[in-house]
Amino acid sequence: MSWLLGIDTSSVDLGVGLFNNTKPAASFSRYVRNSHAEHITPVVKTILESNGISPEDITHLAVTTGPGSFTGLRIGIAFAKGFCFAQNTVICPVSSLEILAYGARTHRGRIVTAIDARNDDVFWASFESDGCSVKRLGNDTVCSAEEFEDIIKQSDTIITDTMGFSRSTVFNFLDKHQSFYPVESFPLHRGFLCTLHASLLLDNKDVWKKGNEILPRYLRLSSAQYKAKKVQNA
Amino acid sequence: MITLGIESSCDETSVAILRDTTVIKNGIYSQTEHSQFGGVVPEIASRAHLEKIDHLTETVFAETDIKIKDIDLISVTDSPGLAGALLVGVSFALGLHTTLNKPITGINHLEGHIFSVLLENPDLSFPFLALVVSGGHTAIYTVHDTGKYELLGQTVDDAAGEAFDKVGKMLGFTYPAGRSIELEASMVQNEKSITFPVARISSNNLNFSFSGLKTAVKYFIKDKNVQFINENRSRICFAFQKAVIDSLSNNLASAVKSTKIRRIALVGGVACNQSLRDALQKRFGTDIRFPSPQLCTDNAAMIALAGYNRYRKKQLRFPTMNPSAPL
């Protein structure tokens, strides 16, 4: 029997999910803004206890590896690394853009999911949904806000996430688009969806990694390296 | 009793194993990614910590016969330091704590530095004075007991190590510049042709200031040509280093006078500086103790020892995220 724990700290929410094989057992999602590290331990402990299992019973762990808040990603991944260390529990890295697509899977057709990457850039990926399952059409990428206006032209549904950035403007042009959904407009339990996605991959050995192989997918340089590179190019 | 120490507050990732008060293993990885930027870049530091922390933990355990399940306590630096960097160590420790179901404690980084001297000098008894000098801190404490620290004075602007790095940058050294300045200064014996002011903030307290000294060096070299600087670099380094040492030494002497405590510990990254050690040894004799250089810089063994002592005193506290918390 497999117990699967999922952790998502990529956004302003802390999300934790628990599955027994492919069956959901528990889900937690709460707005915590900048205090993921404070809440993650009691939340995980409570979820395990209330399901009558101990941490040693967890055989698989899913964690969101990005793109998203750099610090947020590191909290979830560092916790996952520590959690899995003693027993060599295997980890499945999950894309935050895929989680958004899973959240919108009832929308049939082509779904583009996007996250504000700041500096007028957008993280995005595209998926195809048949109403219950989601198929990825391309890798997670970063592009400029301008390029993004072209990308959405061939999509049926657009899901956007500003990651709590209140001055975000990159998605403003979508206001008139009829099938545009900001994440705030529908319930999104990222911890649950992260675990769900990994539970569907339980038999796929390739996606399950050792803890020391898991790293965030930032998809961009730190701003110091970015500026240094810009100076170099100029 | 086995204590696991974890430290990631700045640019050193460190994992240590202690059996009671004896260091079994003290694994330290010093990040080299920052030198091209002339200082520690928080985001780069945080990324490097996460890339290293579990590999380092594996290495440390692989080199001993102790297994991760044998540990009795997890001790992790949770303040002060770079928020993103601290969070990597703290989150990793919290993950370990959740599965191992072993007690965990947060440790103040400065408290760790104070304990670094006790790793090799277990006979140093309370109360003693601790002069903590590093790239981020310069402060004098009276250490009454584990968990009981009284701040006597601290820097009102730059830390001493920070002044070394910034002056080093002006003189063309790469970050970190402490060692380079020390080497350069050692080329002259006693230099009196160049002098820099020793700051004294107030006669009522033991605070430090190094920002004025840094500016004095800046203005001294401002209108000098490259040739002059090349010819006088050793003299400038010597005079600057002397001003820092005098400031630290004078305040320490005042602290001894006012507290009547004669036992002293010099800790922190700048305590690696041999000229500083020699000067203080000369002035305070056998009353002053130093950790060996590898225990002066950031390391997890000192964090583990502080945790062990807190455990013995029943002073464990769950890690909190308050990156600017004072000691």
Side-chain angles (χ1 to χ4, degrees):
Chain A
M1 190 166 67
S2 305
W3 280 102
L4 172 58
L5 180 73
I7 292 167
D8 182 293
T9 52
S10 66
S11 74
V12 288
D13 295 338
L14 168 64
V16 179
L18 181 69
F19 271 51
N20 185 349
N21 291 316
T22 51
K23 207 174 93 229
S27 167
F28 172 96
S29 180
R30 186 186 286 169
Y31 177 84
V32 295
R33 183 110 216 159
N34 290 333
S35 56
H36 298 83
E38 265 168 55
H39 291 94
I40 194 163
T41 314
V43 167
V44 168
K45 279 184 180 174
T46 309
I47 283 188
L48 297 182
E49 274 165 26
S50 58
N51 282 273
I53 62 170
S54 74
E56 291 111 67
D57 297 324
I58 300 295
T59 54
H60 297 74
L61 193 131
V63 65
T64 308
T65 53
S69 148
F70 296 164
T71 302
L73 294 173
R74 281 191 288 265
I75 293 171
I77 292 171
F79 182 86
K81 281 172 180 280
F83 190 94
C84 296
F85 190 86
Q87 310 199 102
N88 296 316
T89 311
V90 284
I91 302 183
C92 175
V94 179
S95 155
S96 50
L97 291 163
E98 193 136 5
I99 288 174
L100 293 181
Y102 266 83
R105 66 194 183 282
T106 51
H107 296 265
R108 285 162 195 275
R110 190 169 168 187
I111 304 174
V112 166
T113 61
I115 294 170
D116 187 338
R118 312 279 179 105
N119 297 329
D120 254 356
D121 283 342
V122 174
F123 298 126
W124 71 278
S126 60
F127 303 86
E128 186 76 34
S129 171
D130 61 8
C132 67
S133 71
V134 165
K135 208 180 98 197
R136 181 182 273 279
L137 299 177
N139 290 334
D140 295 354
T141 350
V142 60
C143 72
S144 69
E146 232 175 77
E147 290 166 317
F148 186 65
E149 292 190 29
D150 279 337
I151 285 157
I152 57 128
K153 280 176 185 157
Q154 298 135 33
S155 64
D156 302 311
T157 310
I158 305 144
I159 310 293
T160 64
D161 188 351
T162 58
M163 287 286 171
F165 181 31
S166 55
R167 294 192 307 274
S168 174
T169 54
V170 285
F171 301 131
N172 284 1
F173 77 97
L174 287 163
D175 279 347
K176 290 186 193 77
H177 205 280
Q178 45 183 314
S179 52
F180 155 61
Y181 303 93
V183 280
E184 296 83 7
S185 65
F186 59 97
L188 187 75
H189 297 284
R190 289 177 216 255
F192 171 82
L193 294 167
C194 172
T195 327
L196 168 72
H197 174 63
S199 77
L200 300 173
L201 299 167
L202 273 172
D203 297 329
N204 184 346
K205 283 204 171 67
D206 297 339
V207 303
W208 296 93
K209 314 268 186 201
K210 292 199 313 202
N212 62 20
E213 296 172 295
I214 303 292
L215 280 176
R217 290 183 313 121
Y218 301 108
L219 295 190
R220 64 187 322 158
L221 297 169
S222 68
S223 61
Q225 287 164 314
Y226 181 77
K227 279 175 199 156
K229 209 172 165 183
K230 230 169 141 182
V231 171
Q232 212 174 37
N233 291 347
Chain B
M1 178 172 157
I2 308 287
T3 307
L4 177 70
I6 297 174
E7 152 72 35
S8 68
S9 66
C10 191
D11 60 345
E12 261 100 18
T13 318
S14 182
V15 177
I17 305 170
L18 236 65
R19 179 176 276 132
D20 295 331
T21 58
T22 310
V23 182
I24 304 293
K25 211 78 218 179
N26 189 15
I28 304 169
Y29 170 73
S30 294
Q31 299 173 359
T32 51
E33 290 87 342
H34 305 286
S35 55
Q36 60 162 314
F37 298 102
V40 178
V41 182
E43 176 62 21
I44 296 175
S46 310
R47 290 184 180 199
H49 282 304
L50 189 60
E51 280 165 28
K52 210 72 200 179
I53 195 149
D54 47 355
H55 290 277
L56 186 64
T57 312
E58 279 166 19
T59 313
V60 161
F61 277 100
E63 289 168 359
T64 70
D65 53 359
I66 296 168
K67 300 275 168 290
I68 182 84
K69 289 184 181 173
D70 299 336
I71 65 168
D72 302 297
L73 172 70
I74 301 164
S75 183
V76 60
T77 311
D78 64 349
S79 63
L82 304 171
L86 286 165
L87 274 165
V88 173
V90 169
S91 304
F92 182 70
L94 289 174
L96 286 172
H97 156 76
T98 309
T99 31
L100 295 169
N101 201 19
K102 292 291 158 65
I104 186 169
T105 186
I107 292 292
N108 183 295
H109 183 73
L110 299 177
E111 184 177 15
H113 271 303
I114 290 171
F115 275 92
S116 69
V117 74
L118 295 169
L119 284 165
E120 294 162 322
N121 298 278
D123 59 317
L124 179 63
S125 55
F126 299 117
F128 61 86
L129 296 175
L131 174 59
V132 186
V133 208
S134 69
H137 309 276
T138 306
I140 302 180
Y141 293 93
T142 307
V143 183
H144 294 286
D145 200 348
T146 304
K148 281 176 77 180
Y149 316 103
E150 185 190 342
L151 179 67
L152 298 177
Q154 61 183 334
T155 179
V156 294
D157 39 56
D158 290 355
E162 190 181 354
F164 268 95
D165 290 332
K166 286 178 176 169
V167 166
K169 201 172 177 176
M170 294 174 203
L171 295 172
F173 298 118
T174 55
Y175 174 89
R179 182 87 189 109
S180 313
I181 290 186
E182 188 188 352
L183 273 175
E184 192 73 39
S186 67
M187 307 215 189
V188 288
Q189 284 304 317
N190 196 4
E191 178 55 43
K192 294 216 172 87
S193 64
I194 301 170
T195 52
F196 294 118
V198 179
R200 181 77 207 225
I201 300 301
S202 151
S203 51
N204 300 326
N205 60 41
L206 297 170
N207 284 347
F208 301 94
S209 168
F210 296 104
S211 150
L213 171 60
K214 181 186 71 187
T215 312
V217 178
K218 184 182 170 181
Y219 279 103
F220 180 79
I221 60 175
K222 198 180 163 199
D223 47 6
K224 305 290 192 295
N225 57 35
V226 181
Q227 196 194 347
F228 177 87
I229 293 171
N230 283 340
E231 282 169 6
N232 292 280
R233 191 175 277 112
S234 303
R235 289 188 193 89
I236 299 170
C237 286
F238 182 90
F240 161 75
Q241 183 174 271
K242 186 174 183 307
V244 174
I245 292 173
D246 286 352
S247 165
L248 295 171
S249 177
N250 291 346
N251 276 17
L252 202 48
S254 306
V256 171
K257 205 174 158 194
S258 66
T259 60
K260 311 229 163 30
I261 298 170
R262 296 188 57 86
R263 290 181 298 274
I264 308 165
L266 172 70
V267 296
V270 179
C272 289
N273 186 301
Q274 193 58 45
S275 310
L276 174 62
R277 285 174 177 245
D278 292 345
L280 295 184
Q281 187 100 61
K282 200 172 162 195
R283 188 157 180 182
F284 300 101
T286 52
D287 292 330
I288 189 154
R289 306 290 181 86
F290 318 97
S292 50
Q294 69 268 24
L295 293 174
C296 287
T297 49
D298 292 352
N299 68 87
M302 65 188 196
I303 303 301
L305 184 65
Y308 172 77
N309 278 278
R310 281 194 163 263
Y311 182 84
R312 298 276 308 263
K313 292 259 173 190
K314 298 193 168 40
Q315 291 176 350
L316 297 191
R317 60 170 178 83
F318 201 75
T320 52
M321 278 320 301
N322 184 4
S324 53
L327 176 61

